[in-house]
Amino acid sequence: MISTSTAHVLASLFVTCYVGSIYISKGARLSFSNTKVYLDYGFARPKLQNERWRDDPDVIRARLVAVCSGTFICCAIVYALMASESANAKNSWTPLQMTVNYLGCTSTSILPHLITPMLFLGPLYAHFLRGTLPGQCNWSSQEDLRSFLLSVTGVRNYFVAPITEEVVFRACVLTVYHLAQVSKMRMIFLCPLLFGAAHAHHAWETYNRYGRSPTALKRAAIGTVFQFTYTSIFGFYCSYLFLRTGSIFPPITAHVFCNIMGVPQPGYDISERPDRKLAIIVAYLIGIVGFVYALSSGTRWALAEGTLYWN
């Protein structure tokens, strides 16, 4: 066991390794012009020739390498902790076996993976009405699969980022707090704040992209507050999933699915098909009710047998 203060230090180290990796690597760092541009609110300025923005392909590739390296370091730290625990406890598990189990590299049933799509029943129904679900008339394997998912941006958004972020901010962070015997409530509602805070560095990019003006500063501040709130709430959910299932895979699939779907927009969905307004509202409500039911402690949807974290 480790102390709570040691867990705080290690969790902060994990965040520093992950976020800091993209600033240590020269190819992953961004560069902007110092020129102030006064634009209407909501409009970004054109990218200049010598600038490096977040969505530039070479920046994305460098950042993918950086965050994968940072994730490996975090896992190595957890392995060192497990080696120390194994030596002190003198149990039959090897440090590698302990690391694999604590990081949640274990299989689970299909049910935890269906909880997130259930919440998105309303948006999925709206996509169905527009004919944009896979296999429908307005869905294209070329545009919606290859260009959307398999581009360098898609690899970042839907593969590398969800996997590495969940391994670091869920598996590694919750492991050290579990070793410190922190309560499950604190792990669910306090640890994800680190995940939200780790996205605050995007404010600098927003400030520069929108002209380095007072309007740009306002947009960066509002965007940061929204992103911190959204990612923290999402972190509560994924932490609960990880602790209940003892597996990292349901949080990863939830992360991937949410990145693909984006933030639900019931108003937009209704405006697209006002003739199906009632059906869309009902689909949203059924999804929310089903989501709450599936997560409740009395069901088996999110609870796995023998989890290390939830007895």
Side-chain angles (χ1 to χ4, degrees):
M1 298 297 176
I2 60 176
S3 66
T4 304
S5 58
T6 301
H8 291 328
V9 171
L10 289 172
S12 301
L13 179 60
F14 294 150
V15 176
T16 302
C17 283
Y18 190 87
V19 179
S21 65
I22 64 177
Y23 292 99
I24 293 175
S25 171
K26 182 179 179 180
R29 290 197 294 267
L30 308 181
S31 62
F32 301 97
S33 168
N34 293 327
T35 305
K36 287 187 177 181
V37 181
Y38 290 90
L39 303 165
D40 292 334
Y41 185 81
F43 290 90
R45 63 174 177 81
K47 180 177 176 290
L48 301 180
Q49 184 176 4
N50 295 325
E51 291 185 316
R52 294 171 58 80
W53 286 15
R54 179 174 178 265
D55 288 331
D56 293 351
D58 58 332
V59 173
I60 293 176
R61 294 187 187 96
R63 288 193 164 193
L64 294 182
V65 173
V67 297
C68 287
S69 301
T71 302
F72 176 81
I73 292 172
C74 294
C75 293
I77 293 172
V78 173
Y79 176 83
L81 279 174
M82 295 299 109
S84 175
E85 283 293 306
S86 178
N88 293 334
K90 296 180 179 180
N91 56 39
S92 59
W93 281 14
T94 67
L96 180 59
Q97 289 174 322
M98 293 179 67
T99 303
V100 167
N101 279 275
Y102 272 91
L103 293 183
C105 300
T106 56
S107 62
T108 184
S109 71
I110 191 64
L111 291 179
H113 301 277
L114 300 179
I115 297 175
T116 308
M118 184 184 301
L119 177 63
F120 281 80
L121 183 61
L124 288 172
Y125 177 63
H127 276 286
F128 171 77
L129 294 177
R130 290 193 290 267
T132 53
L133 291 178
Q136 289 189 288
C137 59
N138 293 326
W139 183 84
S140 167
S141 61
Q142 175 63 38
E143 296 180 5
D144 297 320
L145 181 61
R146 297 176 187 174
S147 300
F148 182 63
L149 290 179
L150 302 182
S151 63
V152 66
T153 305
V155 170
R156 176 194 65 187
N157 293 343
Y158 311 120
F159 296 100
V160 175
I163 293 172
T164 57
E165 287 180 359
E166 292 306 317
V167 168
V168 172
F169 293 100
R170 234 63 65 195
C172 293
V173 168
L174 292 176
T175 289
V176 296
Y177 281 109
H178 177 73
L179 292 176
Q181 294 186 324
V182 172
S183 69
K184 287 192 285 288
M185 291 295 290
R186 289 180 65 187
M187 285 194 283
I188 292 170
F189 292 108
L190 292 182
C191 295
L193 299 180
L194 292 171
F195 181 58
H199 290 79
H201 67 102
H202 293 309
W204 174 245
E205 178 198 7
T206 303
Y207 174 65
N208 282 277
R209 287 181 59 186
Y210 287 85
R212 300 174 64 89
S213 64
T215 302
L217 181 61
K218 177 183 177 182
R219 183 181 180 87
I222 293 174
T224 300
V225 171
F226 174 79
Q227 191 171 38
F228 174 82
T229 304
Y230 178 77
T231 52
S232 295
I233 293 173
F234 177 75
F236 301 156
Y237 167 55
C238 283
S239 294
Y240 180 82
L241 269 185
F242 178 77
L243 295 176
R244 287 270 288 177
T245 63
S247 174
I248 193 60
F249 297 115
I252 289 175
T253 57
H255 200 145
V256 172
F257 190 85
C258 287
N259 280 7
I260 292 174
M261 295 296 294
V263 180
Q265 302 181 62
Y268 173 78
D269 293 336
I270 292 172
S271 68
E272 286 276 292
R273 291 297 302 268
D275 58 314
R276 297 295 184 93
K277 177 180 178 180
L278 180 60
I280 292 172
I281 292 174
V282 170
Y284 267 90
L285 292 177
I286 291 175
I288 293 171
V289 171
F291 176 77
V292 173
Y293 170 77
L295 283 184
S296 63
S297 59
T299 70
R300 308 295 297 179
W301 279 71
L303 182 62
E305 294 291 342
T307 173
L308 289 167
Y309 300 97
W310 201 287
N311 295 322

